[in-house]
Structure formats: C-alpha cells, structure tokens
Amino acid sequence: MAKVPAAAVAASGLIGGYGVARWTKKRQLGGVVLAAAGAAAAQQWKQQAGGKAAGALTAAYVAAFAGSHPLAKKMGAWPAVFTVAGAVALASWAVADRQG
C-alpha cells in the first residue's frame, strides 16, 4: 500500500476540518478531523525528520489553523483555508516528505 505523504495529510486536515465544521455546523467535529490529521502528520514528521522538525511542523500546523481566522476576514474563508493548507503542505514537503 502506498504511503500518503505527510504534506497531504496535514493539508487535508486543515481543509477537511473546516469543511466538516462548516457543513455539519458542529465546530467540535471539525476539531476532531483537524486534530486527528494533525496527530497523524506529526507522527510521520517525527519518523521522517526527527523530533525537532516534527515539533516545528506541528507548531506551523497549529499556527496555520489560528492564522486562517484573521486571514479569512481579508480574503474569505475558503481561500484562507486553502492558503494556509498549501503553506503547511509546502513546509512539510520541504522539511520531511522530500527526504523520505
């Protein structure tokens, strides 16, 4: 079975978490998706790039989630989510996925 890159897992968590929260109108469900994908990506980051890199990428993931909120006021919700998801995916690829 092919391994899903951590970049895709992290980006999917941000996009999927927002989508679930929006479509179900239950923010907690979106949070579950966000947290589950973040935990899965963090585990992959640790295996591929080590603990320090995993910590930095996890912080970037959380910062992207938090940063999407004020960004959404400037550009709209979906564009903000896609922007931060792309940024986290790029960081993940550069730090962890590219190596391994």
Side-chain angles (χ1 to χ4, degrees):
M1 186 160 121
K3 182 175 156 192
V4 177
V9 174
S12 297
L14 289 161
I15 295 166
Y18 175 68
V20 167
R22 182 172 179 139
W23 289 316
T24 65
K25 298 189 182 348
K26 296 189 190 277
R27 294 176 68 158
Q28 297 85 353
L29 288 178
V32 169
V33 172
L34 180 79
Q43 183 178 13
Q44 283 185 256
W45 292 329
K46 187 174 180 183
Q47 289 172 350
Q48 292 172 341
K52 278 188 175 184
L57 288 168
T58 299
Y61 184 80
V62 173
F65 165 70
S68 68
H69 293 81
L71 189 59
K73 292 179 181 178
K74 295 181 188 264
M75 64 186 333
W78 279 113
V81 170
F82 287 131
T83 298
V84 300
V88 168
L90 181 60
S92 176
W93 176 82
V95 173
D97 292 332
R98 177 172 60 160
Q99 298 173 7

